[in-house]
Amino acid sequence: MKDQPLIFEISKPGRIGYSLPDLDVPEENIDQLIPSDYLRTEDAELPEVSELDIMRHYTALSKRNHGVDSGFYPLGSCTMKYNPKINENVARLTGFSYIHPLQDEATVQGAMELMYDLSEHLKEITGMDAVTLQPSAGAHGEWTGLMMIRAYHEANGEKHRTQVIVPDSAHGTNPASATVAGFETVTVRSDQNGLVDLDDLKRVVGENTAALMLTNPNTLGLFEEHIVEMAEIVHSVGGKLYYDGANLNAILGKARPGDMGFDVVHLNLHKTFTGPHGGGGPGSGPVGVKKELIPFLPKPVLVKDENGLRFDEDRPQSIGRVKSFYGNFGINVRAYTYIRSMGPDGLKAVSENAVLNANYMLKKLAPYYEMPYDRICKHEFVLSAKRQKKLGVRALDIAKRLLDFGYHPPTIYFPLNVEECMMIEPTETESKETLDAFIEAMIQIAKEAEEEPEIVQEAPHTTVVKRLDETLAARNPILKYEKK
Amino acid sequence: MKHRYLPMTETDRKEMLEAIGVESIDDLFADIPESVRFKGKYNIKAAKPETELFRELSQLAAKNKDVKTNVSFLGAGVYDHYIPAIVDHVISRSEFYTAYTPYQPEISQGELQAIFEFQTMICELTGMDVANSSMYDGGTALAEAALLAAGQTKKKKVLVSQTVHPETRDVLKTYAKGQNVEVVEIPYRNGVTDVEALKEMMNAEVASVIVQHPNFFGQLEPLHQIEDISHSEKSLLIVSSNPLALGVLSPPGSFGADIVVGDVQPFGIPMSFGGPTCGYFAVKKELMRKIPGRLVGQTVDEEGKRGFVLTLQAREQHIRRDKATSNICSNQALNALASSVAMTALGKTGVKEMAYQNIQKANYAKKMFEKKGFSIPFQGPMFNEFVVKLSKPVSLANKKLLEKGIIGGYDLGRTYPELEKHMLVAVTELRSKEEIDLFVNELEGWQ
């Protein structure tokens, strides 16, 4: 495939790609309206291209991009499932996409009804007492939840609770969110079974514990079997239990965070509930809480009374506003459409199939790669390329070789507690044929590692660019186009 | 059960269970302790077939009054602008919208290049050196800018003008609380930041001074003076800007801003009840390694061919964990792409022309109100919004306007008690002279 020039390199003075209305009001001299020192002296150097130029440019770029619709995308912990097309149609309805957040509430009751009903559905799915739809993404939800936990402890006169405990296998956002919320992070170890080490947890909890953040199933794809004991350990010292919902796709209809003892939950609607990932966003990260944390929910809170729905701003104990307006409504519309397309039986079947697929792949790949934890997994699992590493082939090489087969590789080198880690999440929307073909590719790569390692080490061979020099990019950052 | 999103057949399932060596699906969930197993059925609505569901949700959408069938003069941070038709066609290419973060650059060159172009356009408009790939929205971008400044200057106090969007100030206060940063508000005078008050409040403890330009009332801020005062005590100047306005206005970078943030909603993003929009974040070169979020950089592949990668990742949560510059992971990539397409379609002349039209039309509307004897309390230069004083509550005026299919302006009394009965009016390029005249005429008698 040919190089695609930057849009700035296609630009030609005099071309346009827009159609603005005519200026139909009497025109005034701009200098009369705005003092000259406020006016630009040089135009912003934006492209000058025709509409077809633009369409061809972005079509060319799209061909240089792999999405779920292009092929299998078993990126662990990201739940790259199919994004239903009806969701896109619903989100684009004029009554949803062209309404202003500050319109009179009486004129947006339909949107508020959808938000309310989505919250009700999420309450039931998570087993929590209230849900806010405001956070924009998972990490934003984590921070929102932690701020609420902080406000809760402070309201109880327990300002000394400054520590948030996270397992060594946790997503990087967990400790980062704890820092932004003003907490200190304490790490708890995993045991040889890949689960949180209960003795270590007992050691690290104490009177300063604000919360334990946990993903369950964890990032190794293993269900934390001792969740009841863990909840007891944390609650007995007065701490709260935080559920990172990144892996909820494993337990729909099977177990609810609220029943496991979690006090605060965030969900990633762009993972489990099919908001598309959009090349990195926008997501949506609603947060559910148990009763005692309700006063601290971010403002405004959507309430229903005899006059209909309204946004309540009068929340004296609220942590405040976490974003402008009411969350990523457009993503929430998509998630709601999905939940209504699935129903209770459909959601349960989602997790059953996601877990079935993961276990099937794990079993089929186990003879060829190290399996650090020999037990059933949930919706994802990890393999280690330790065996291949001895032959000079690393997890990174395997990932790059998979590109030649038309696959997006698994998440690699995460979680940090598994050497040469490859984390595979097939999701429930993939067929057995797709899984079998991927398994075949992985087996072939394992053989190549033994017989002709250079073909793996030098991969990818078929992509539009070869491996890129990331060191150069960081050492000599070029972060924008500069006209020659 | 059979479902169009679930391809496994009964035969598949049987074969797979056999391969795994278990009897049933339930065996795969045996690791969930009995006491926490969910045994019932979610008490939620039953599944609906596609057509029925679409009809139901269309009816729900139709309950809302949208800005396309009505005529809107409501802005206050979210605007009704021209969105070139091409924008939705580009972002509907599913290679873009069904991909995730471009962690594997060899098969993500499209997304990476598009974001590199986005970063370039943001730098061009703001006059800054480095822009990131996006933030959740303008509000959180500003809050993160304040945290960056506090970390950089090692000071714990920020001064924020009361002419910054009230919701943005609220978001800032929530973020600041997490980091124990003190937020002090600078009063306004004649619709802009009170420079004399700022002078008095300024001291060596101030990490940053935050203003919005054009500000919440649509007025242009005295950036030269504010810059002087901010930098006199080595605090950072943070400017929040509507990027469309920067098609005509001098970029904040040229006034010496250290960080420029805002929301690119005016470029190609439907209002969508306030989200998802898309924040932008731009800094001077010195702050490059402190910037939150993802950055795309240019590099070469093994054969020397140009390519793009995520770079300077040592700042980010997945590498630095609790020492990261921010916790942001997912951002607003698809909306950044939408904005890129809109900025590309408008291009060098269109962005300027569109901004120019906003200025002309807003000034025309303002003049018409003045002609009718309405009081316009703030008379400084403005972009596309202004404040008009009414004799009765704004909510009543808006009810009356709605009967004529007009969505009136923002009721300033909601967030500025001293501005009760004051309406913030936004006039974009989409409002025709006829619509503006109708709007002004409908308010006859409310002077």
Side-chain angles (χ1 to χ4, degrees):
Chain A
M1 204 181 286
K2 274 207 315 211
D3 265 9
Q4 179 60 22
L6 290 163
I7 192 76
F8 309 99
E9 294 164 342
I10 302 167
S11 175
K12 186 167 184 182
R15 282 204 180 119
I16 67 158
Y18 62 93
S19 159
L20 281 167
D22 290 333
L23 184 62
D24 58 355
V25 300
E27 197 171 346
E28 300 224 17
N29 192 335
I30 189 83
D31 300 328
Q32 300 295 310
L33 301 176
I34 295 188
S36 58
D37 58 338
Y38 278 115
L39 292 171
R40 256 183 190 278
T41 47
E42 277 174 50
D43 291 343
E45 280 300 328
L46 298 177
E48 294 176 90
V49 284
S50 73
E51 190 166 315
L52 178 57
D53 287 338
I54 302 168
M55 206 60 222
R56 290 227 172 107
H57 176 66
Y58 285 105
T59 301
L61 290 187
S62 74
K63 288 181 181 164
R64 301 159 76 85
N65 225 47
H66 181 97
V68 173
D69 287 0
S70 324
F72 191 38
Y73 210 129
L75 187 65
S77 250
C78 297
T79 313
M80 301 303 291
K81 59 167 81 174
Y82 174 62
N83 301 126
K85 304 311 166 196
I86 182 184
N87 298 0
E88 298 300 313
N89 293 359
V90 173
R92 281 168 171 78
L93 289 167
T94 309
F96 289 142
S97 56
Y98 288 98
I99 50 173
H100 193 290
L102 298 171
Q103 276 176 231
D104 185 340
E105 286 170 2
T107 66
V108 285
Q109 287 288 307
M112 291 164 82
E113 256 179 63
L114 185 146
M115 290 173 67
Y116 189 83
D117 204 36
L118 173 59
S119 304
E120 291 297 303
H121 278 71
L122 296 179
K123 269 162 63 179
E124 172 67 10
I125 289 167
T126 56
M128 305 305 279
D129 297 320
V131 166
T132 172
L133 299 177
Q134 288 183 47
S136 309
H140 201 212
E142 291 173 14
W143 167 77
T144 301
L146 291 173
M147 288 299 289
M148 291 172 67
I149 289 172
R150 180 174 157 163
Y152 168 84
H153 288 313
E154 286 182 4
N156 291 335
E158 299 200 312
K159 271 197 154 177
H160 58 276
R161 294 192 178 272
T162 54
Q163 296 182 341
V164 167
I165 302 168
V166 301
D168 52 10
S169 63
H171 298 116
T173 50
N174 289 181
S177 298
T179 299
V180 182
F183 291 107
E184 174 197 343
T185 302
V186 177
T187 305
V188 59
R189 274 199 312 264
S190 301
D191 63 15
Q192 70 279 6
N193 298 318
L195 304 178
V196 169
D197 185 326
L198 287 186
D199 289 331
D200 201 43
L201 180 61
K202 283 180 194 148
R203 187 181 65 78
V204 296
V205 296
E207 58 170 16
N208 295 330
T209 301
L212 166 70
M213 296 181 87
L214 198 68
T215 312
N216 195 16
N218 65 24
T219 58
L220 299 164
L222 305 177
F223 194 85
E224 294 283 355
E225 293 174 346
H226 309 299
I227 181 59
V228 178
E229 293 92 314
M230 290 166 75
E232 259 172 41
I233 293 168
V234 175
H235 285 151
S236 71
V237 298
K240 291 286 165 198
L241 214 58
Y242 183 97
Y243 184 83
D244 175 339
N247 292 347
L248 191 78
N249 209 46
I251 57 167
L252 293 171
K254 297 289 177 183
R256 306 191 305 172
D259 301 335
M260 294 182 218
F262 286 94
D263 304 288
V264 183
V265 171
H266 90 255
L267 301 176
N268 302 70
L269 297 190
H270 47 293
K271 294 182 180 176
T272 316
F273 299 103
T274 68
H277 282 70
S284 178
V287 171
V289 295
K290 287 281 176 66
K291 219 178 216 149
E292 55 192 4
L293 283 132
I294 290 177
F296 309 101
L297 284 169
K299 280 199 280 195
V301 174
L302 182 57
V303 293
K304 194 174 202 169
D305 57 27
E306 63 281 3
N307 301 319
L309 290 152
R310 63 184 174 86
F311 289 112
D312 184 11
E313 296 269 355
D314 185 20
R315 312 282 299 188
Q317 286 190 289
S318 164
I319 59 164
R321 212 175 277 279
V322 300
K323 93 176 274 303
S324 302
F325 314 117
Y326 325 114
N328 280 345
F329 176 74
I331 306 303
N332 297 339
V333 171
R334 290 169 171 89
Y336 182 71
T337 306
Y338 174 69
I339 292 171
R340 296 291 314 280
S341 303
M342 300 310 293
D345 298 323
L347 289 178
K348 189 172 162 191
V350 162
S351 287
E352 291 184 347
N353 285 295
V355 170
L356 175 71
N357 285 1
N359 278 286
Y360 176 72
M361 291 180 80
L362 175 59
K363 193 76 184 182
K364 291 277 187 178
L365 289 172
Y368 305 92
Y369 294 89
E370 284 299 314
M371 187 166 67
Y373 306 102
D374 186 10
R375 44 173 289 185
I376 56 167
C377 63
K378 292 275 83 58
H379 66 308
E380 67 186 5
F381 61 95
V382 296
L383 295 175
S384 165
K386 247 157 86 180
R387 208 183 297 171
Q388 286 72 26
K389 195 183 175 187
K390 288 190 192 119
L391 306 165
V393 169
R394 303 193 56 208
L396 178 73
D397 302 318
I398 295 166
K400 296 304 180 196
R401 181 67 178 135
L402 279 168
L403 302 178
D404 291 330
F405 292 85
Y407 298 120
H408 193 291
T411 298
I412 49 172
Y413 301 108
F414 183 83
L416 309 170
N417 51 342
V418 173
E419 192 187 343
E420 294 297 319
C421 187
M422 298 183 287
M423 185 203 229
I424 301 176
E425 180 181 7
T427 84
E428 73 285 358
T429 57
E430 299 297 337
S431 68
K432 181 168 178 293
E433 288 76 10
T434 302
L435 305 186
D436 284 335
F438 181 81
I439 290 162
E440 275 309 306
M442 285 293 283
I443 294 171
Q444 184 180 325
I445 295 170
K447 281 188 185 139
E448 287 172 353
E450 284 171 13
E451 291 158 12
E452 39 181 347
E454 48 303 326
I455 198 167
V456 189
Q457 290 156 342
E458 287 162 19
H461 304 276
T462 58
T463 48
V464 289
V465 286
K466 305 272 282 176
R467 286 193 207 189
L468 290 147
D469 190 342
E470 299 195 10
T471 314
L472 174 71
R475 199 185 302 137
N476 175 29
I478 302 173
L479 305 173
K480 61 176 182 177
Y481 168 72
E482 307 266 7
K483 208 170 178 180
K484 288 192 189 84
Chain B
M1 73 172 288
K2 284 187 186 176
H3 195 285
R4 66 194 186 283
Y5 306 153
L6 303 173
M8 288 304 161
T9 65
E10 270 315 308
T11 323
D12 291 337
R13 213 166 279 138
K14 238 173 92 189
E15 282 174 23
M16 291 165 78
L17 286 172
E18 216 171 275
I20 297 167
V22 294
E23 298 279 316
S24 70
I25 296 271
D26 283 346
D27 292 346
L28 299 175
F29 290 89
D31 52 352
I32 299 181
E34 181 68 25
S35 65
V36 299
R37 235 175 261 176
F38 183 70
K39 294 178 193 88
K41 183 164 157 176
Y42 286 150
N43 181 21
I44 59 172
K45 289 178 179 162
K48 251 192 183 181
E50 191 167 85
T51 313
E52 281 174 41
L53 183 58
F54 190 74
R55 180 179 304 148
E56 180 196 321
L57 296 178
S58 299
Q59 283 163 353
L60 195 59
K63 278 190 176 182
N64 303 319
K65 293 218 181 297
D66 64 80
V67 301
K68 291 296 159 201
T69 36
N70 296 276
V71 175
S72 171
F73 289 91
L74 182 55
V78 178
Y79 302 93
D80 183 25
H81 284 297
Y82 161 55
I83 300 179
I86 192 172
V87 172
D88 202 41
H89 286 268
V90 171
I91 66 166
S92 296
R93 294 281 309 186
S94 67
E95 298 89 337
F96 288 128
Y97 84 79
T98 71
Y100 191 38
T101 302
Y103 290 128
Q104 294 290 337
E106 296 88 349
I107 52 165
S108 311
Q109 283 299 299
E111 175 74 29
L112 287 160
Q113 182 172 331
I115 294 300
F116 183 81
E117 292 172 0
F118 172 78
Q119 292 174 181
T120 305
M121 292 186 228
I122 294 299
C123 288
E124 276 299 319
L125 284 167
T126 57
M128 302 301 279
D129 301 318
V130 179
N132 79 2
S133 64
S134 70
M135 306 294 286
Y136 304 136
D137 66 4
T140 59
L142 181 133
E144 293 240 22
L147 298 189
L148 189 165
Q152 176 73 7
T153 59
K154 303 197 165 51
K155 298 175 192 174
K156 287 285 191 184
K157 187 179 187 173
V158 303
L159 302 182
V160 60
S161 173
Q162 281 182 343
T163 63
V164 170
H165 197 300
E167 296 215 357
T168 302
R169 275 182 280 139
D170 285 350
V171 175
L172 167 65
K173 285 171 198 165
T174 311
Y175 272 79
K177 189 163 184 294
Q179 299 273 290
N180 300 316
V181 168
E182 186 192 356
V183 179
V184 183
E185 297 197 341
I186 316 162
Y188 67 90
R189 204 174 158 178
N190 299 327
V192 294
T193 307
D194 184 339
V195 175
E196 293 308 315
L198 171 59
K199 259 185 211 160
E200 275 173 35
M201 298 166 85
M202 195 64 206
N203 59 44
E205 289 161 29
V206 176
S208 62
V209 173
I210 305 176
V211 296
Q212 182 178 325
H213 171 82
N215 70 25
F216 187 63
F217 304 130
Q219 300 276 300
L220 306 190
E221 287 284 346
L223 282 185
H224 281 304
Q225 288 165 279
I226 292 168
E227 189 268 340
D228 269 353
I229 302 167
S230 313
H231 288 154
S232 68
E233 295 284 1
K234 296 197 166 59
S235 77
L236 301 187
L237 174 60
I238 299 170
V239 180
S240 168
S241 271
N242 176 340
L244 172 63
L246 304 181
V248 165
L249 301 182
S250 302
S254 72
F255 288 97
D258 300 286
I259 307 174
V260 183
V261 293
D263 203 303
V264 292
Q265 186 272 331
F267 289 129
I269 300 176
M271 32 182 82
S272 196
F273 208 33
T277 60
C278 175
Y280 74 83
F281 199 112
V283 298
K284 286 270 183 307
K285 197 156 194 174
E286 301 74 62
L287 297 174
M288 175 176 72
R289 286 171 202 275
K290 297 289 168 62
I291 203 168
R294 292 178 181 133
L295 282 172
V296 174
Q298 182 183 313
T299 187
V300 292
D301 75 356
E302 288 165 353
E303 291 167 353
K305 205 165 159 187
R306 177 168 70 183
F308 303 90
V309 292
L310 292 174
T311 193
L312 303 179
Q313 296 190 72
R315 302 163 295 112
E316 291 187 67
Q317 49 78 26
H318 62 287
I319 310 282
R320 286 294 290 275
R321 301 177 76 85
D322 58 329
K323 304 281 187 301
T325 58
S326 163
N327 67 330
I328 190 167
C329 179
S330 281
N331 53 23
Q332 305 281 122
L334 193 70
N335 284 13
L337 176 65
S339 279
S340 279
V341 181
M343 285 188 277
T344 299
L346 286 162
K348 188 173 177 174
T349 56
V351 165
K352 198 170 149 186
E353 189 184 329
M354 188 156 131
Y356 182 82
Q357 284 207 17
N358 277 258
I359 295 168
Q360 292 289 351
K361 290 191 168 181
N363 275 283
Y364 170 75
K366 178 185 152 200
K367 202 174 247 177
M368 296 312 286
F369 274 112
E370 281 175 325
K371 245 187 190 165
K372 293 261 181 196
F374 283 87
S375 156
I376 306 287
F378 309 137
Q379 287 289 348
M382 62 189 220
F383 179 55
N384 64 358
E385 286 177 293
F386 60 93
V387 176
V388 55
K389 187 169 186 252
L390 306 180
S391 56
K392 281 179 260 179
V394 175
S395 55
L396 293 181
N398 282 341
K399 280 208 171 67
K400 177 174 185 283
L401 290 166
L402 197 60
E403 288 166 15
K404 300 284 172 180
I406 296 172
I407 295 171
Y410 175 73
D411 180 358
L412 282 165
R414 284 172 66 171
T415 39
Y416 295 84
E418 71 280 12
L419 294 178
E420 212 186 300
K421 297 182 190 167
H422 285 67
M423 184 192 273
L424 178 65
V425 174
V427 188
T428 72
E429 76 287 349
L430 294 184
R431 294 293 72 82
S432 67
K433 178 174 178 296
E434 199 182 328
E435 289 168 350
I436 297 169
D437 292 342
L438 176 71
F439 175 53
V440 177
N441 286 333
E442 283 302 319
L443 284 173
E444 181 70 67
W446 295 66
Q447 291 87 331

